[in-house]
Amino acid sequence: MKKYKLYLPVILLACTVGFTSCSSNDAMTELNTDPSKAATIDANAQLTTAELQLYGDLDASATVRSYLYAFTQQLMGCWNTTNYGGRHTQDDNEMGHTWRDLYPHAVRDLVDAESRTHNDKSKLNINAALRVYRAYIMSILTDIYGDVPYFQAGQGYISKNPAPKFDKQKDIYTDLFAQLDTAQTQFAVGTDKITGDLIYSGNISKWQKLVNSLRMRWAMRISDVAPDQAKKEFIKAVNDANGYMTTTDDDALIKYISGKFSFGSDAYNDYRMNRISQLLFGNDPSNNPSFMCSTFFNELKNSGDPRTYRICRFYCDDLMSATMPDNRIDLTHEILTQNITPAPRDPGAYAWEPWPSGYTSDTLTILKKKNNLIDPGRAYNVEPKLATNFLQPDNPGTVMTSAEVKFLMAEAQLKGWNVSAETAEQLYDEGVRLSMDYLSKNYGCAPVSDAELQAFLAGNDFGHTAEKQKEAINTQAWILHFTNPYEGWANLRRSGYPKLKSPADYGFTMINGHDIPVRLCYPVLESSYNKANYEDAVSRQPGGVDSWNNRVWWDVK
C-alpha cells in the first residue's frame, strides 16, 4: 500500500508532463484531426450544393407552396396554399424559410468558394460561375424581401461580422450588373474546367449566354424605376458577342435525380430531388394538394391554350402511392367527353369551398368492383389538379429559359429599345412556341403541334395598343413561369399582368389585409440577432413598418 502511495504522485507527474508536452506540439492537433475529412472544400462541390439547394431544399420550398403560388393565383385549395397565401395570413415561420435556409447555406458556401478562388488565374471559370450563381440567388432574396444583406452577406467567418447591414435594393441591382461584367470578362480568358455544374455541365459558352440573359431579366425588372439604366443594360446584353439564349438547348435548368419522396428528417438535408415537386405531391396522397386555381385554369381553358390539359388533369387519387406520384386514375377524357363542369378553386378557397357537386364516374364504378378503396362519386374528382408530370422528383429546377428571353425582347421592342430586327409580335409568337416546347422537352408533356399553336395565336389577339400587347406578353410569361415560381411572382409584380383580384373579392375573409401582398416580411429573429441593421432597413420602408404591402424599390406600379 505504501508503494502505491509512493508511485501515485510520480504517475500523476508523468501524466501532467505528458499532456503539457502534447499541448506544445502537433500531437494534440493530430489527435483531434479526422483523417477522413478534407482540409479544404472544393469550390466545384460548393457550386453543386448551392445549385441543388434552390429547388432541393424541403424547408425553403415551403415558402413557394405557402405563399408564392397563392400570390400568383396558379394553385389554390391545398391547406397550406390557401391558409397562408390565399387568406393573407402572415406567419413568420412560413415567410422566413427562404431567408433562413439560403443565407446560412447557399449564400455562405458561394461567398466562401468565391473568396477562396478570387484572383486565382487557374480558377477563373469556376470563380465566374460562382459569381453568377451568387448574384442569381441574391436577386431572388432581394426580390422577395426588398432591402437585404448583400455586400456583407455570408462573410461571418471571412470578415468576423455576424451582423451584416441591409443594403438598398437599388445598390444591390447596380452590383448585380457589375458581377455579370466581371464574370463575362473571366469566362473570356479562363481555362479551368467547371466540374461541379449541374446546370450546363461546365459548358462555358452557355454560361456566357446565361449572363446576358440574366442581364436582360434584371434590366427589365428595373425598367420602370430606372429606365435609362435598364435600356443601357438590355442593349449591352443583346450586343454582346457571346450571345444569349435562343433555343431550349440554352435553357438554364438544375438537374435532379429520381427517387422516392419522404418527409423523414433525412429529406431535409438531401437536395438531390426537386422538393417543390414533392410538396405539390404532398404527404397525403389520397388528398393530393395540387389543386389548380380558377385564375390560372380559366385563363388557359378560355383562351383555348393547348397546354390546358397538358398542365391540368382530373384524377382519382384513392390509390396513389405514398412515396411517388404513381397509381393515379386519370379521369380527364371521361369528364371532358361527358361535359362535366370543372370546379377549379377560386383565390382564397380551400378544396372544399364550395363543396363541388361531383359526378359518378363510369370508369371508377367499374374499377370499384375489384377494389373497394375507390369512391366513384368522390366530389374532388371534378377539381382540376396539377398533372402527374409536374410532381416528379427529377423535374428540373428552372433558372431561366429561352422562352423568357423572347418575351423580354418583345417587351423591349414595345419600349422602343430597338433590340431586334423582328417585331414585338414576332418575338411574342416565338416565345409562345418555345414555352410549349419547354414543357414537352422537360416535363414529358405531349408536343404541341404547329396547327395547335397557330390556332391558339389566331384565336388570341396580340393587342392593338402597347399596353394590351404588354399584357399579352406578360400573361404568357406568367404561364411560362409556373415552373419558375420565384420569377413568376417577381415578374407579375413588375409588369402588373395578369391583373389579379384579391381573394377578398371572391367573398373570403382575409387575416392580414385585403390587398395581395407585394413582398414578404423579414424573419422576426432579425430584430434580435441583427437589431440595429434590421431597424435601419425597416425605417426605410413607408411608415417605418415591416409591411408586406410596402413595395420593393423596382415595383412602382
Side-chain angles (χ1 to χ4, degrees), residues 242-406:
N242 295 297
Y244 48 83
M245 295 179 179
T246 57
T247 72
T248 55
D249 287 339
D250 297 326
D251 292 351
L253 309 174
I254 305 165
K255 300 176 183 66
Y256 292 93
I257 66 172
S258 188
K260 293 185 177 181
F261 288 138
S262 166
F263 285 88
S265 59
D266 289 349
Y268 288 84
N269 297 310
D270 185 347
Y271 300 158
R272 294 174 299 168
M273 289 186 281
N274 189 317
R275 300 300 179 178
I276 293 180
S277 295
Q278 176 172 347
L279 289 178
L280 299 182
F281 163 77
N283 54 0
D284 183 8
S286 64
N287 291 294
N288 175 264
S290 61
F291 299 102
M292 308 306 301
C293 182
S294 61
T295 309
F296 190 62
F297 178 79
N298 290 339
E299 173 61 35
L300 291 169
K301 182 175 181 293
N302 295 341
S303 65
D305 195 311
R307 291 168 292 188
T308 305
Y309 295 111
R310 288 167 167 87
I311 297 174
C312 316
R313 307 290 291 179
F314 300 93
Y315 294 104
C316 168
D317 286 328
D318 291 346
L319 304 181
M320 192 173 179
S321 166
T323 58
M324 287 286 285
D326 297 332
N327 303 327
R328 307 181 87 182
I329 303 171
D330 195 326
L331 302 174
T332 307
H333 178 73
E334 180 178 88
I335 286 177
L336 295 181
T337 55
Q338 293 187 19
N339 294 316
I340 304 299
T341 302
R345 300 294 85 188
D346 285 337
Y350 287 103
W352 57 86
E353 292 179 316
W355 192 259
S357 57
Y359 80 111
T360 300
S361 166
D362 295 337
T363 300
L364 298 181
T365 298
I366 294 173
L367 293 174
K368 183 176 175 62
K369 295 177 181 179
K370 296 183 178 180
N371 194 320
N372 274 328
L373 295 176
I374 295 174
D375 179 1
R378 184 183 289 274
Y380 286 165
N381 293 345
V382 300
E383 297 182 21
K385 295 180 180 180
L386 189 57
T388 301
N389 311 50
F390 298 88
L391 307 182
Q392 301 298 330
D394 58 351
N395 282 341
T398 305
V399 175
M400 195 167 186
T401 65
S402 54
E404 179 186 347
V405 170
K406 292 293 185 182

Side-chain angles (χ1 to χ4, degrees), residues 46 49-51 53-54 57 59-60 97-113 137 154 268-269 271:
Q46 289 175 291
T49 304
E51 287 179 347
Q53 189 189 3
L54 186 61
D57 188 319
D59 260 338
H97 282 302
T98 305
W99 179 294
R100 290 192 306 271
D101 285 275
L102 292 184
Y103 267 119
H105 298 291
V107 174
R108 178 203 62 190
D109 287 349
L110 290 165
V111 169
D112 175 71
I137 291 294
Y268 288 84
N269 297 310
Y271 300 158

Side-chain angles (χ1 to χ4, degrees), residues 403-480:
E404 179 186 347
V405 170
K406 292 293 185 182
F407 292 140
L408 291 170
M409 294 185 70
E411 189 170 351
Q413 287 294 76
L414 292 183
K415 292 179 177 293
W417 290 354
N418 194 28
V419 297
S420 173
E422 295 180 290
T423 66
E425 185 170 9
Q426 288 172 323
L427 291 163
Y428 165 83
D429 289 352
E430 291 168 10
V432 175
R433 171 79 272 178
L434 287 169
S435 296
M436 295 177 177
D437 292 345
Y438 164 76
L439 293 184
S440 59
K441 181 175 181 178
N442 298 293
Y443 291 88
C445 297
V448 175
S449 68
D450 288 339
E452 288 179 292
L453 171 64
Q454 292 307 316
F456 170 71
L457 294 175
N460 294 274
D461 188 22
F462 181 56
H464 298 288
T465 67
E467 196 61 31
K468 281 294 183 182
Q469 292 170 355
K470 178 182 177 182
E471 180 178 8
I473 291 167
N474 286 288
T475 297
Q476 285 302 307
W478 173 65
I479 295 170
L480 166 68

Side-chain angles (χ1 to χ4, degrees), residues 62-63 66-67 71 84 89-100 144-145 519-524 546 548:
T63 300
S66 295
Y67 287 111
F71 294 161
Y84 296 114
T89 303
Q90 289 186 358
D91 182 276
D92 176 63
N93 187 56
E94 292 297 308
M95 288 190 294
H97 282 302
T98 305
W99 179 294
R100 290 192 306 271
I144 291 176
Y145 299 101
R519 61 176 288 272
L520 293 183
C521 299
Y522 299 129
V524 170
D546 184 20
W548 66 2

